[in-house]
């Protein structure tokens, strides 16, 4: 990923609320794949858009941050090729196989087909955590003004403004980078929390 393009995107999003929104979404993804009951990350797109770049970014972040749960299994819409590696050897049917504890990340640049919608809903009913990045829409240019087609299906969704394929890829890079960041709470913050809580009850 070109660092200059990422920096330019960060600058263009500054003050719009989108930078904070992608960070929050990435943090939610991190929490989902590191929770005690987590059982892997399943990444899926549409027949017209398979999120190969996001799969690569997440794999890199998993290695960089030591967060193994971020390394995804990319579900192939056309079915897995014989002899494909484990992370490329599953199709949509994987969503119906032991969904409890899994995290399903859906990335759709255009409209999602009914087959995908139904499979993802089944996975959620089976106990999966569902997150979605929805691009190629025209629902708004800010988090407050936008809505995602996945709002009623996903536990958390991010609707990206209709800005073409390159910005959509760059937003995914910001999300993956945020997902690789470990939440930290410093000593001063913990101390401030204790002081704000008031005196401890007497025995």
């Amino acid at each position: 990923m070109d660092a200059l393009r990422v920096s330019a995107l960060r600058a263009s999003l500054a003050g719009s609320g989108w930078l904070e929104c992608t960070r929050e979404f990435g943090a939610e993804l991190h929490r989902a794949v590191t929770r005690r009951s987590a059982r892997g990350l399943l990444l899926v797109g549409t027949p017209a858009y398979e999120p190969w770049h996001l799969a690569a970014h997440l794999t890199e972040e998993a290695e960089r941050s030591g967060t193994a749960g971020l390394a995804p299994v990319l579900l192939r819409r056309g079915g897995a090729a014989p002899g494909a590696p484990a992370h490329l050897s599953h199709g949509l049917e994987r969503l119906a196989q032991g969904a409890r504890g899994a995290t399903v990340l859906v990335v759709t640049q255009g409209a999602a087909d009914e087959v995908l919608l139904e499979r993802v809903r089944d996975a959620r009913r089976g106990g999966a955590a569902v997150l979605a990045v929805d691009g190629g829409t025209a629902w708004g240019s800010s988090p407050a003004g936008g809505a995602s087609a996945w709002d009623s299906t996903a536990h958390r969704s991010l609707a990206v403004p209709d800005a073409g394929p390159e910005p959509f890829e760059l937003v995914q890079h910001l999300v993956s980078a945020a997902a690789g960041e470990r939440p930290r709470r410093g000593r001063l913050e913990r101390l401030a929390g204790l002081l704000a809580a008031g005196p401890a009850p007497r025995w």
Side-chain angles (χ1 to χ4, degrees), residues 52-144:
W52 287 97
H53 286 101
L54 183 55
H57 295 328
L58 288 170
T59 300
E60 291 172 358
E61 287 299 331
E63 295 174 355
R64 184 194 62 78
S65 66
T67 309
L70 278 178
V73 172
L74 180 61
L75 305 186
R76 304 299 312 282
R77 295 303 303 273
H87 63 288
L88 298 174
S89 61
H90 297 277
L92 278 188
E93 67 279 356
R94 176 66 178 80
L95 292 174
Q97 300 169 359
R100 181 168 298 280
T103 299
V104 177
L105 177 57
V106 188
V107 181
T108 55
Q109 191 171 15
D113 55 282
E114 286 300 320
V115 172
L116 177 59
L117 286 167
E118 192 55 41
R119 293 292 180 89
V120 173
R121 288 169 184 152
D122 286 345
R124 176 167 176 163
R125 286 191 287 266
V130 178
L131 292 86
V133 179
D134 183 18
T137 67
W139 288 317
S141 58
S142 69

Side-chain angles (χ1 to χ4, degrees), residues 139-189:
W139 288 317
S141 58
S142 69
S148 170
W150 291 95
D151 281 348
S152 62
T153 302
H155 293 95
R156 184 72 178 260
S157 58
L158 176 64
V160 183
D162 188 2
E166 184 171 346
F168 185 57
E169 298 286 351
L170 291 174
V171 165
Q172 292 176 58
H173 179 72
L174 294 181
V175 166
S176 63
E181 296 175 357
R182 296 185 179 217
R184 289 186 177 90
R185 196 178 180 205
R187 286 186 63 201
L188 290 177
E189 185 181 350

